[in-house]
Amino acid sequence: MKKGISPYEEEHIFDPDNEWVKLAHAISWGRLEAKYAEMFPDRKEYLALPFRTAFGALIIQKRRKLSDRAVIREIRESSSLQYFLGRERFSHEALIKPSALAGFRKCLTVDYLMEANECILLDVDRVINGQETKKENGNAVSADIASRDIENLGTEILDAACSPSNIKYHQDYLLLNEAREKLEVMIDYFCMGFHMSDKPRTYRKIARNEYLAYVKSRKCTKEKLRAAIRKQLGYIRRDLGYLENYMEEGYALPKDYIDCYLTIWKLYRQQKYMYDNRICNVENRIVSISQPYPPANVGEKEETPVEAGAGYCVSIDEKGRARLEKISVDPYNENGVFKDVMNRYKERTGHYPGQVLVDQIYRTRDNRRFCRENGIIMSGSKLGRPSKDKNSRKEEQQDYHGRMEGERFFATGKCCDGAGLIRMPMKETTLSSIALSILATNLFAVGLNCFFLLYFLEDISGGETESYIVIDERNDEIAGLFWGGTDEGIAFTGNFYYQCLKEIRRECSHDTSCIMEAFFFYWLVSVFYFIFPSQQSNPGLNA
C-alpha cells in the first residue's frame, strides 16, 4: 500500500471551500518563520522541526481544544489539516511527536505571538488592497482636502479578562495537607536514597486521619477549621525541620524537588501569618503548589467571583481586529495601560480614535484628561451628579451595547479557542498559550481569503475618494466597513440618498453597531440603481 496519493487524487480530496485550506493560502508562513528565526541568532547545526508544521499544529490544537496526542491523531486523519500544515501528499504517518510539540511551545514567547498577530492583520490589509479597483484616468484630490489635518476617526474598544488555570479550588487545609504529603515524599527520598537507618517520625497516619475527620465532618465550623489548620502547620514545620537537618549534614535535594521545597516554605509562612493574625488573605497568596505563580484574582462575574489565572487586556478597533495589549500573572490595575493603547493606535493609523469604549475602571480623572486633550470621546457618564437629559442616557446605553463586541470576543476565545481553561503547568507556556488563543480567535474572526467587495467612487469637490464594504462570504457576516478620503462624501448623488448615506457615514465613524444598517441600506441602493439605471446621476458602482 502506498503511503501517499497522487496529485490527481489530492486535487479531489482537498476542498477549496474548507476553512483550513483557505487559511493555508492566506497566511504568510515565510514571514512568520523569518521572525521566528530572529529569536535564535546562534544557529546550531541540527535538524530543526519545520516551523509551519509545529506552528500550524498549535493553531489546530487551540481551535479544536485538544491535547498534544489528540491533535496529532486528528491531523493524521484529516487531509485538510495536513494541507494546512504544508504537506503535499496525504499520509497516515504522524507529522510531529507530542514531545516535539511541547518543546516548540516553550520556544514561543508572548512578544513573538503579538508580532505574528500583526503580520496576520497586515495580510488582511494586503488582501483588501489587492481587491480594490481604481479608476484608470482618475482626477487628483483637491489641494484643500489633501492638506487638511487628519481628525480622530474610528472606535477603539478596550477591555480585560482572566483565563483561569487548571488548578483545584484553593482551600487552606487542602493546600496544607498536599504540602505535608510532598514533604513526606522528600523525607523518604533521603532515607532510601542515602540508606539512612534512623527514619524520623512524621506521624503521617495520624495526620491523615485528622485531615479525613475534618473533611468528612458534617458541620465544619470556624473552630474546627482553625484546629485542622493548626495541626497541619505543626506537621509541616516538623517535616521542614527534618529536611533542614539533612541539608546541613551535606545531603542535597534533586532538581525536581527544589522548586517544590521552596514553594512549601513560602506557603507555610503565608498560612502561619494568616493563622496568627486571624486574616483570610495575604499579598501574592499561593493557591497551588504545582503552579504557584497564578494568584487569586477577584473577578467581576457573580458566578466566578475569584479566578486563579493570568489577566490580559485586549483592544478591538473599528474593523473588529483584536490586539493583545498586556498580559501578566501578577495583579495589575487595568487603567494603567489606557494611554499606551491610545498611543499605539496613533502609531498604526496616524491619528487617535474618535471614540473609545471602556469600563468604569478606565474612566479615571487622569484618563479623562488625556482624552480631552487629544479630542477622544470616552464612553460612560460624566463625573458628578447623574444627568437628567434623556439623550445622554441614550448615548450611555449605546456605548454599553457597543462594548458587547469585546465581551463577544472573550466569549469566542474561551468557548472556541481554548482560552477558557489553561492547562499549561509553566508560567511561560501559560502566557504564550493565552496569546496563541487570542491569535487563533483573531485569525478565524477575520476572513483572510474570502471577501466580497462593494466599491464606490465618490465625486467630492472635483476629487475622488473611495469607500467599500468588506463581507465575509464564509459566514455571511460583515468583516468591516471602511471609509477613505474625507469625512464628507456620498456614494450616490440625489437628495434622499445623499442625506441618508451622509448620516450613516457620520454614525458609523463612532458606532460599530451601525455597520449592519449601513450594509442593508447600501444593498437596497445598489438594487435600486441596477433596476432603474436611468435614475442614477453618478454611475460608480463596481461589485
Side-chain angles (χ1 to χ4, degrees):
M1 180 177 179
K2 296 182 180 181
K3 296 183 179 179
I5 61 176
S6 63
Y8 176 80
E9 294 174 334
E10 181 184 11
E11 183 179 355
H12 289 75
I13 288 179
F14 295 123
D15 184 10
D17 295 332
N18 187 278
E19 61 177 358
W20 296 105
V21 176
K22 291 181 178 180
L23 288 177
H25 294 286
I27 299 176
S28 298
W29 298 101
R31 186 165 53 173
L32 294 179
E33 185 174 2
K35 288 185 175 295
Y36 179 75
E38 294 176 359
M39 300 169 54
F40 307 97
D42 299 333
R43 298 182 179 179
K44 298 180 180 180
E45 296 183 359
Y46 61 90
L47 184 61
L49 186 68
F51 171 81
R52 180 172 178 176
T53 302
F55 191 73
L58 291 179
I59 294 177
I60 296 172
Q61 183 184 28
K62 281 297 179 181
R63 187 63 176 177
R64 300 290 179 87
K65 295 188 293 186
L66 301 173
S67 61
D68 292 346
R69 298 183 182 275
V71 72
I72 293 174
R73 290 195 300 267
E74 189 80 8
I75 293 172
R76 291 176 58 185
E77 300 172 356
S78 176
S79 59
S80 59
L81 295 182
Q82 292 189 16
Y83 186 83
F84 177 72
L85 300 182
R87 288 294 292 248
E88 298 179 355
R89 296 175 178 271
F90 177 76
S91 175
H92 291 285
E93 296 180 356
L95 304 182
I96 187 175
K97 296 181 179 180
S99 58
L101 190 62
F104 180 79
R105 188 187 296 109
K106 295 179 182 179
C107 298
L108 293 178
T109 61
V110 177
D111 296 335
Y112 169 76
L113 293 174
M114 294 172 64
E115 292 180 1
N117 187 36
E118 291 294 333
C119 291
I120 292 174
L121 297 181
L122 290 177
D123 293 338
V124 177
D125 294 334
R126 187 180 299 107
V127 171
I128 295 176
N129 295 331
Q131 294 181 357
E132 291 183 2
T133 58
K134 298 185 178 180
K135 197 173 181 179
E136 294 181 358
N137 298 323
N139 298 324
V141 182
S142 57
D144 56 340
I145 296 179
S147 61
R148 186 182 301 176
D149 295 336
I150 300 177
E151 298 181 358
N152 294 346
L153 297 174
T155 303
E156 184 85 341
I157 302 176
L158 186 61
D159 204 351
C162 176
S163 292
S165 298
N166 187 25
I167 59 177
K168 188 185 298 184
Y169 185 80
H170 52 282
Q171 296 283 352
D172 293 340
Y173 62 91
L174 293 176
L175 288 173
L176 293 175
N177 179 73
E178 183 181 359
R180 177 187 59 80
E181 292 177 350
K182 291 183 178 296
L183 291 176
E184 292 171 356
V185 173
M186 297 180 191
I187 294 174
D188 295 340
Y189 167 79
F190 277 110
C191 297
M192 298 176 62
F194 298 101
H195 305 285
M196 297 181 180
S197 58
D198 297 334
K199 187 176 182 179
R201 293 185 177 181
T202 56
Y203 302 95
R204 62 185 67 188
K205 292 184 178 180
I206 298 176
R208 176 68 178 175
N209 293 332
E210 292 176 351
Y211 163 74
L212 293 177
Y214 172 76
V215 172
K216 295 180 180 180
S217 61
R218 295 183 178 180
K219 294 183 179 180
C220 299
T221 61
K222 293 183 179 180
E223 291 75 12
K224 291 184 178 180
L225 177 61
R226 285 185 58 84
I229 292 176
R230 177 179 56 80
K231 294 178 181 179
Q232 296 295 327
L233 287 174
Y235 295 130
I236 291 176
R237 184 66 190 93
R238 181 186 291 108
D239 295 342
L240 289 173
Y242 293 148
L243 295 176
E244 286 181 351
N245 295 333
Y246 289 150
M247 287 183 283
E248 288 179 358
E249 295 176 0
Y251 302 103
L253 280 171
K255 295 182 180 180
D256 298 338
Y257 291 155
I258 292 177
D259 294 337
C260 182
Y261 173 77
L262 297 176
T263 302
I264 293 175
W265 253 118
K266 186 177 180 180
L267 173 67
Y268 171 77
R269 296 192 188 98
Q270 291 181 355
Q271 294 293 333
K272 188 69 167 59
Y273 177 81
M274 290 189 294
Y275 178 82
D276 295 340
N277 295 274
R278 293 179 177 272
I279 58 178
C280 299
N281 198 4
V282 69
E283 186 179 1
N284 297 326
R285 180 180 178 181
I286 295 177
V287 297
S288 174
I289 298 177
S290 59
Q291 302 181 30
Y293 52 85
N297 297 322
V298 179
E300 300 179 357
K301 307 296 186 298
E302 295 182 357
E303 59 272 12
T304 55
V306 179
E307 294 178 325
Y312 53 96
C313 183
V314 174
S315 64
I316 304 175
D317 58 10
E318 64 278 358
K319 300 177 183 179
R321 304 173 184 177
R323 292 175 174 85
L324 180 63
E325 302 295 347
K326 184 174 181 179
I327 182 171
S328 176
V329 296
D330 300 325
Y332 66 93
N333 199 331
E334 300 172 11
N335 60 54
V337 303
F338 180 82
K339 296 181 181 179
D340 296 336
V341 174
M342 296 297 103
N343 292 329
R344 281 193 286 267
Y345 185 93
K346 185 177 181 181
E347 292 177 0
R348 294 192 304 266
T349 61
H351 56 81
Y352 287 107
Q355 185 183 19
V356 56
L357 306 179
V358 293
D359 283 334
Q360 181 65 31
I361 192 173
Y362 295 97
R363 303 167 191 165
T364 60
R365 294 183 182 273
D366 191 17
N367 293 338
R368 290 175 184 269
R369 188 183 306 109
F370 178 83
C371 292
R372 287 196 302 268
E373 294 174 355
N374 297 279
I376 304 174
I377 301 176
M378 178 180 284
S379 64
S381 59
K382 298 180 180 179
L383 296 177
R385 185 174 298 177
S387 177
K388 297 181 180 180
D389 189 7
K390 295 182 179 180
N391 294 330
S392 62
R393 294 181 180 179
K394 184 178 180 180
E395 292 178 358
E396 294 176 6
Q397 191 70 14
Q398 291 178 354
D399 295 340
Y400 174 78
H401 291 299
R403 288 193 295 106
M404 291 298 103
E405 178 66 20
E407 300 296 338
R408 184 198 66 81
F409 180 84
F410 290 134
T412 304
K414 291 185 177 181
C415 296
C416 303
D417 298 313
L421 185 63
I422 306 301
R423 302 179 184 274
M424 302 295 110
M426 299 177 60
K427 177 180 178 181
E428 292 77 11
T429 54
T430 297
L431 299 179
S432 61
S433 178
I434 296 175
L436 188 62
S437 297
I438 295 175
L439 185 145
T441 306
N442 210 18
L443 182 63
F444 287 90
V446 295
L448 292 177
N449 203 22
C450 49
F451 288 98
F452 172 72
L453 197 64
L454 291 179
Y455 178 80
F456 303 94
L457 291 177
E458 305 172 359
D459 190 6
I460 307 172
S461 303
E464 293 186 356
T465 57
E466 301 165 352
S467 302
Y468 49 90
I469 302 177
V470 179
I471 307 170
D472 189 355
E473 292 180 343
R474 180 180 56 203
N475 300 322
D476 293 333
E477 297 178 352
I478 294 180
L481 177 62
F482 304 93
W483 304 105
T486 60
D487 295 337
E488 300 178 357
I490 57 173
F492 301 95
T493 58
N495 294 330
F496 176 75
Y497 296 105
Y498 179 91
Q499 298 297 332
C500 292
L501 291 175
K502 185 176 180 181
E503 182 68 16
I504 289 176
R505 182 169 189 170
R506 184 182 65 82
E507 292 294 331
C508 287
S509 62
H510 300 291
D511 188 3
T512 57
S513 62
C514 296
I515 292 178
M516 187 62 70
E517 299 176 5
F519 163 68
F520 281 115
F521 189 80
Y522 271 115
W523 181 77
L524 291 175
V525 169
S526 62
V527 172
F528 175 81
Y529 273 79
F530 276 119
I531 297 175
F532 305 101
S534 60
Q535 300 294 329
Q536 58 179 341
S537 59
N538 183 19
L541 179 62
N542 298 321

